[in-house]
Amino acid sequence: MTMEPTGREYTVERSDAEWREQLSPEEYQVLRRAGTERPWVGEYTDSKTVGVYACRACGAELFESDTKFESHCGWPSFWSPLAGESVELLEDRSMGMKRVEVRCASCGSHLGHVFEGEGFDTPTDQRYCINSISLTLKPADPA
């Protein structure tokens, strides 16, 4: 799948060559080409570390660990982004279905998808299903 341009200007802009130089081939495939990592292989799928999850491409803070929950879907799941403006949501009609793609609002990198109404016992009834490879965990300072 190729990411469709949104027409939006991002605070972090790089050429395709610069993204390819900065990111590993696997990171580039997910973050810049809207790929998906295989389920159950990501480094943050089962992480319980307290901290903030940031965009691996640009470092923008996206999710707090206290919004992460066990959805048993094979990818890290969060019930809310850190702040409403930290992610952008786009309609995704690829794969023969209507979904909502989640992108980093700072650089436009693909993070995953958000789903609603699945019945999880969370404050929002949303599941932000995010690729581990799209994230970097910044552990909280020990108190």
Side-chain angles (χ1 to χ4, degrees):
M1 176 166 102
T2 301
M3 290 176 40
E4 295 296 320
T6 64
R8 175 184 171 144
E9 288 192 28
Y10 296 102
T11 56
V12 177
E13 298 255 355
R14 293 187 175 93
S15 69
D16 189 62
E18 290 170 320
W19 285 122
R20 285 181 185 273
E21 184 176 314
Q22 174 188 332
L23 303 169
S24 73
E26 295 82 11
E27 292 167 347
Y28 178 85
Q29 180 59 31
V30 172
L31 288 157
R32 304 308 304 168
R33 304 294 292 170
T36 301
E37 69 186 341
R38 292 185 338 270
W40 307 110
V41 301
E43 67 182 301
Y44 302 124
T45 303
D46 298 318
S47 175
K48 305 276 191 252
T49 303
V50 175
V52 174
Y53 290 88
C55 175
R56 190 172 300 237
C58 73
E61 294 185 346
L62 303 170
F63 299 95
E64 288 183 310
S65 60
D66 64 355
T67 65
K68 189 173 186 287
F69 70 99
E70 294 291 336
S71 68
H72 308 288
C73 71
W75 294 274
S77 296
F78 303 86
W79 51 264
S80 178
L82 185 64
E85 296 83 39
S86 65
V87 299
E88 71 175 327
L89 306 177
L90 300 159
E91 184 176 294
D92 175 2
R93 291 193 172 266
S94 67
M95 310 281 287
M97 65 182 98
K98 182 180 175 185
R99 299 183 296 173
V100 178
E101 179 187 8
V102 181
R103 289 190 188 177
C104 173
S106 294
C107 70
S109 289
H110 174 77
L111 304 170
H113 290 86
V114 62
F115 303 94
E116 288 187 285
E118 296 178 316
F120 288 106
D121 186 22
T122 62
T124 63
D125 196 25
Q126 293 180 317
R127 176 173 59 95
Y128 285 79
C129 183
I130 307 298
N131 293 286
S132 282
I133 202 166
S134 296
L135 303 171
T136 300
L137 176 58
K138 300 176 180 178
D141 292 328

